[in-house]
Amino acid sequence: MDCRSYPLTPDHESYFAWLNDSQVVIDGEGMRFDDEHVMFFAEQELMARHAAALIPAPGAGDVLEIGFGLGVCALEINLRAPRTYLCVELHPVVARMAGHILRAFGHPCEVIQGPWQTSLPARRTFDAVMVDSFPPPGWADEDFLVFVEQAVPEILRPGGRFSFFCCGDELNPVRRAALDRTFSQVSVSPHTIGGTMPTAWSLPSNQFLVHACLR
């Protein structure tokens, strides 16, 4: 399969190798890589809001998700019955798990295992794109800029929608400027995970931003 290509550094290669070698464990609170929890079932309502931002009317469009993880966002997206769904997932164990989970849906679903930088099909475009990936430490902003300013214009159709995982109550100016350069409209709404938090909660905040970006 021909794929698009975006920059990868030695930092990416070594980090991806570590991720691929880490043990994936799912427990009652979420998913951990080795001893670190990286995502939680408590994010279900947050991910439902992302899905609604991407697919306002059930049954429309082709969706790409970067990062399957626990599958919480994927479940919310696919319950809205998109025309097709494609996930690019780096971790081989998680990618295999995703394939099994997605068989439950009646519409075409596909999983590609690998980093998004080398795994986006060259001849496919999408109506909605969700990004929730694991960049190497220190590369989060740089990878975001590459995806938004290089990948999005190539893979997201005119009029398409984009959202991404955003922990905290504000987006840094670098990322906001990239959104403003790329999209015709950017809507933002806050979301707070309340109630009893998971004991293993490892994210920096229980506050999030849900972006609905229109190309």
Side-chain angles (χ1 to χ4, degrees), residues 100-192:
H100 291 298
I101 292 173
L102 293 170
R103 289 174 188 170
F105 296 100
H107 51 269
C109 294
E110 182 182 356
V111 180
I112 297 176
Q113 189 267 315
W116 64 261
Q117 289 92 340
T118 59
S119 303
L120 298 179
R123 295 179 178 85
R124 292 178 64 175
T125 57
F126 303 87
D127 299 292
V129 176
M130 173 68 186
V131 174
D132 186 0
S133 63
F134 284 93
W139 286 89
D141 284 346
E142 288 81 356
D143 279 7
F144 184 85
L145 294 181
V146 170
F147 196 94
V148 168
E149 298 190 316
Q150 297 184 36
V152 163
E154 295 182 337
I155 64 173
L156 186 62
R157 296 167 186 155
R161 295 173 176 270
F162 172 78
S163 194
F164 58 96
F165 183 82
C166 183
C167 185
D169 58 3
E170 63 180 357
L171 186 67
N172 72 47
V174 170
R175 295 192 181 200
R176 178 64 206 220
L179 295 181
D180 290 338
R181 288 192 295 267
T182 304
F183 297 98
S184 62
Q185 178 181 324
V186 178
S187 300
V188 187
S189 58
H191 180 84
T192 300

Side-chain angles (χ1 to χ4, degrees), residues 13-32:
E13 299 287 0
S14 60
Y15 182 66
F16 293 162
W18 171 79
L19 280 178
N20 287 342
D21 288 340
S22 63
Q23 182 181 18
V24 176
V25 178
I26 298 176
D27 58 26
E29 294 193 332
M31 174 182 285
R32 56 184 168 88

